[in-house]
mmCIF file of all heavy atoms in Angstrom:
data_model
loop_
_atom_site.group_PDB
_atom_site.id
_atom_site.type_symbol
_atom_site.label_atom_id
_atom_site.label_comp_id
_atom_site.label_asym_id
_atom_site.label_seq_id
_atom_site.Cartn_x
_atom_site.Cartn_y
_atom_site.Cartn_z
ATOM 1 N N VAL A 124 -10.071 9.454 -1.947
ATOM 2 C CA VAL A 124 -9.859 8.013 -1.758
ATOM 3 C C VAL A 124 -8.447 7.940 -1.136
ATOM 4 O O VAL A 124 -7.504 8.674 -1.597
ATOM 5 C CB VAL A 124 -10.019 7.240 -3.083
ATOM 6 C CG1 VAL A 124 -11.331 7.136 -3.479
ATOM 7 C CG2 VAL A 124 -9.089 7.775 -4.228
ATOM 8 N N PHE A 125 -8.313 7.014 -0.210
ATOM 9 C CA PHE A 125 -6.932 6.929 0.452
ATOM 10 C C PHE A 125 -6.409 5.440 0.020
ATOM 11 O O PHE A 125 -7.161 4.464 0.316
ATOM 12 C CB PHE A 125 -7.021 7.082 1.963
ATOM 13 C CG PHE A 125 -7.601 8.489 2.329
ATOM 14 C CD1 PHE A 125 -8.836 8.702 2.495
ATOM 15 C CD2 PHE A 125 -6.602 9.522 2.485
ATOM 16 C CE1 PHE A 125 -9.400 9.991 2.803
ATOM 17 C CE2 PHE A 125 -6.942 10.797 2.945
ATOM 18 C CZ PHE A 125 -8.359 11.077 3.004
ATOM 19 N N TYR A 126 -5.181 5.425 -0.305
ATOM 20 C CA TYR A 126 -4.502 4.265 -0.571
ATOM 21 C C TYR A 126 -3.280 4.126 0.378
ATOM 22 O O TYR A 126 -2.506 4.852 0.339
ATOM 23 C CB TYR A 126 -4.077 3.993 -1.988
ATOM 24 C CG TYR A 126 -5.108 3.947 -3.019
ATOM 25 C CD1 TYR A 126 -5.687 5.187 -3.494
ATOM 26 C CD2 TYR A 126 -5.507 2.694 -3.512
ATOM 27 C CE1 TYR A 126 -6.679 5.052 -4.539
ATOM 28 C CE2 TYR A 126 -6.632 2.720 -4.393
ATOM 29 C CZ TYR A 126 -7.105 3.855 -5.006
ATOM 30 O OH TYR A 126 -8.137 3.739 -5.887
ATOM 31 N N VAL A 127 -3.242 2.991 1.254
ATOM 32 C CA VAL A 127 -2.246 2.821 2.214
ATOM 33 C C VAL A 127 -1.515 1.488 2.077
ATOM 34 O O VAL A 127 -2.274 0.576 2.434
ATOM 35 C CB VAL A 127 -2.703 3.020 3.738
ATOM 36 C CG1 VAL A 127 -1.623 3.028 4.699
ATOM 37 C CG2 VAL A 127 -3.531 4.357 3.772
ATOM 38 N N PHE A 128 -0.282 1.396 1.662
ATOM 39 C CA PHE A 128 0.319 0.206 1.248
ATOM 40 C C PHE A 128 1.882 0.168 1.474
ATOM 41 O O PHE A 128 2.595 0.651 0.731
ATOM 42 C CB PHE A 128 0.098 -0.201 -0.260
ATOM 43 C CG PHE A 128 -1.414 -0.415 -0.581
ATOM 44 C CD1 PHE A 128 -2.286 0.481 -0.872
ATOM 45 C CD2 PHE A 128 -1.687 -1.877 -0.454
ATOM 46 C CE1 PHE A 128 -3.569 0.084 -1.165
ATOM 47 C CE2 PHE A 128 -3.080 -2.164 -0.796
ATOM 48 C CZ PHE A 128 -3.994 -1.192 -1.132
ATOM 49 N N PRO A 129 2.278 -0.429 2.630
ATOM 50 C CA PRO A 129 3.669 -0.842 2.750
ATOM 51 C C PRO A 129 3.920 -1.911 1.778
ATOM 52 O O PRO A 129 3.093 -2.554 1.200
ATOM 53 C CB PRO A 129 3.692 -1.318 4.265
ATOM 54 C CG PRO A 129 2.352 -1.700 4.659
ATOM 55 C CD PRO A 129 1.424 -0.775 3.796
ATOM 56 N N HIS A 130 5.185 -2.321 1.574
ATOM 57 C CA HIS A 130 5.611 -3.161 0.509
ATOM 58 C C HIS A 130 6.478 -4.227 1.063
ATOM 59 O O HIS A 130 7.117 -4.102 2.057
ATOM 60 C CB HIS A 130 6.152 -2.444 -0.720
ATOM 61 C CG HIS A 130 7.454 -1.790 -0.473
ATOM 62 N ND1 HIS A 130 8.474 -1.984 -1.406
ATOM 63 C CD2 HIS A 130 7.972 -1.014 0.442
ATOM 64 C CE1 HIS A 130 9.546 -1.335 -0.952
ATOM 65 N NE2 HIS A 130 9.239 -0.708 0.077
ATOM 66 N N ILE A 131 6.578 -5.274 0.275
ATOM 67 C CA ILE A 131 7.361 -6.498 0.572
ATOM 68 C C ILE A 131 7.801 -7.180 -0.734
ATOM 69 O O ILE A 131 7.009 -7.171 -1.773
ATOM 70 C CB ILE A 131 6.844 -7.456 1.533
ATOM 71 C CG1 ILE A 131 7.817 -8.404 2.027
ATOM 72 C CG2 ILE A 131 5.568 -8.147 0.876
ATOM 73 C CD1 ILE A 131 7.220 -9.355 3.188
ATOM 74 N N ALA A 132 9.047 -7.629 -0.829
ATOM 75 C CA ALA A 132 9.452 -8.403 -2.020
ATOM 76 C C ALA A 132 9.474 -9.855 -1.776
ATOM 77 O O ALA A 132 9.597 -10.292 -0.588
ATOM 78 C CB ALA A 132 10.777 -7.831 -2.547
ATOM 79 N N ILE A 133 9.369 -10.686 -2.836
ATOM 80 C CA ILE A 133 9.597 -12.157 -2.710
ATOM 81 C C ILE A 133 10.549 -12.666 -3.796
ATOM 82 O O ILE A 133 10.270 -12.199 -4.951
ATOM 83 C CB ILE A 133 8.250 -12.855 -2.773
ATOM 84 C CG1 ILE A 133 8.325 -14.389 -2.555
ATOM 85 C CG2 ILE A 133 7.513 -12.662 -4.111
ATOM 86 C CD1 ILE A 133 8.530 -14.653 -1.072
ATOM 87 N N SER A 134 11.467 -13.274 -3.436
ATOM 88 C CA SER A 134 12.534 -13.719 -4.584
ATOM 89 C C SER A 134 12.052 -14.984 -5.321
ATOM 90 O O SER A 134 11.046 -15.565 -4.934
ATOM 91 C CB SER A 134 13.898 -14.052 -3.853
ATOM 92 O OG SER A 134 13.640 -15.307 -3.193
ATOM 93 N N SER A 135 12.704 -15.293 -6.225
ATOM 94 C CA SER A 135 12.345 -16.407 -7.183
ATOM 95 C C SER A 135 12.403 -17.727 -6.273
ATOM 96 O O SER A 135 11.612 -18.574 -6.720
ATOM 97 C CB SER A 135 13.318 -16.522 -8.436
ATOM 98 O OG SER A 135 13.109 -15.314 -9.269
ATOM 99 N N GLU A 136 13.183 -17.689 -5.422
ATOM 100 C CA GLU A 136 13.354 -18.881 -4.608
ATOM 101 C C GLU A 136 12.310 -18.966 -3.426
ATOM 102 O O GLU A 136 12.287 -19.989 -2.665
ATOM 103 C CB GLU A 136 14.799 -18.868 -3.938
ATOM 104 C CG GLU A 136 15.932 -19.138 -4.907
ATOM 105 C CD GLU A 136 16.188 -17.892 -5.696
ATOM 106 O OE1 GLU A 136 15.972 -16.680 -5.143
ATOM 107 O OE2 GLU A 136 16.727 -17.867 -6.882
ATOM 108 N N GLY A 137 11.510 -17.963 -3.312
ATOM 109 C CA GLY A 137 10.408 -17.934 -2.262
ATOM 110 C C GLY A 137 10.940 -17.241 -1.062
ATOM 111 O O GLY A 137 10.279 -17.543 0.048
ATOM 112 N N HIS A 138 11.941 -16.497 -0.993
ATOM 113 C CA HIS A 138 12.545 -15.881 0.173
ATOM 114 C C HIS A 138 11.928 -14.490 0.359
ATOM 115 O O HIS A 138 12.081 -13.583 -0.652
ATOM 116 C CB HIS A 138 14.027 -15.818 0.153
ATOM 117 C CG HIS A 138 14.671 -17.206 0.022
ATOM 118 N ND1 HIS A 138 15.896 -17.301 -0.528
ATOM 119 C CD2 HIS A 138 14.229 -18.404 0.606
ATOM 120 C CE1 HIS A 138 16.269 -18.626 -0.586
ATOM 121 N NE2 HIS A 138 15.282 -19.318 0.141
ATOM 122 N N TRP A 139 11.324 -14.143 1.402
ATOM 123 C CA TRP A 139 10.644 -12.784 1.725
ATOM 124 C C TRP A 139 11.742 -11.721 1.865
ATOM 125 O O TRP A 139 12.721 -12.053 2.532
ATOM 126 C CB TRP A 139 9.825 -12.865 3.003
ATOM 127 C CG TRP A 139 8.528 -13.642 2.739
ATOM 128 C CD1 TRP A 139 8.095 -14.829 3.262
ATOM 129 C CD2 TRP A 139 7.366 -13.156 1.955
ATOM 130 N NE1 TRP A 139 6.809 -15.113 2.817
ATOM 131 C CE2 TRP A 139 6.353 -14.142 2.082
ATOM 132 C CE3 TRP A 139 7.149 -12.044 1.212
ATOM 133 C CZ2 TRP A 139 5.198 -14.052 1.353
ATOM 134 C CZ3 TRP A 139 5.989 -11.940 0.516
ATOM 135 C CH2 TRP A 139 4.981 -12.862 0.635
ATOM 136 N N GLY A 140 11.562 -10.633 1.163
ATOM 137 C CA GLY A 140 12.436 -9.539 1.092
ATOM 138 C C GLY A 140 13.380 -9.504 0.032
ATOM 139 O O GLY A 140 13.928 -8.422 -0.317
ATOM 140 N N GLY A 141 13.660 -10.586 -0.585
ATOM 141 C CA GLY A 141 14.752 -10.623 -1.650
ATOM 142 C C GLY A 141 14.123 -10.068 -3.031
ATOM 143 O O GLY A 141 13.039 -10.415 -3.334
ATOM 144 N N CYS A 142 15.063 -9.334 -3.625
ATOM 145 C CA CYS A 142 14.581 -8.852 -4.954
ATOM 146 C C CYS A 142 15.763 -8.473 -5.845
ATOM 147 O O CYS A 142 16.944 -8.233 -5.277
ATOM 148 C CB CYS A 142 13.709 -7.615 -4.859
ATOM 149 S SG CYS A 142 14.373 -6.190 -4.010
ATOM 150 N N SER A 143 15.649 -8.399 -7.137
ATOM 151 C CA SER A 143 16.642 -8.011 -8.128
ATOM 152 C C SER A 143 16.420 -6.762 -8.649
ATOM 153 O O SER A 143 15.516 -6.552 -9.483
ATOM 154 C CB SER A 143 16.735 -9.161 -9.114
ATOM 155 O OG SER A 143 17.678 -8.813 -10.058
ATOM 156 N N ARG A 144 17.179 -5.763 -8.294
ATOM 157 C CA ARG A 144 17.003 -4.355 -8.795
ATOM 158 C C ARG A 144 17.754 -4.124 -10.104
ATOM 159 O O ARG A 144 18.734 -4.731 -10.346
ATOM 160 C CB ARG A 144 17.446 -3.220 -7.710
ATOM 161 C CG ARG A 144 16.556 -3.259 -6.493
ATOM 162 C CD ARG A 144 17.075 -2.285 -5.547
ATOM 163 N NE ARG A 144 16.340 -2.337 -4.265
ATOM 164 C CZ ARG A 144 15.148 -1.741 -3.875
ATOM 165 N NH1 ARG A 144 14.685 -0.887 -4.831
ATOM 166 N NH2 ARG A 144 14.619 -1.869 -2.800
#
Side-chain angles (χ1 to χ4, degrees):
V124 290
F125 298 90
Y126 293 87
V127 182
F128 288 87
H130 69 132
I131 191 171
I133 186 78
S134 71
S135 295
E136 295 75 26
H138 300 150
W139 285 110
C142 62
S143 177
R144 295 181 185 270

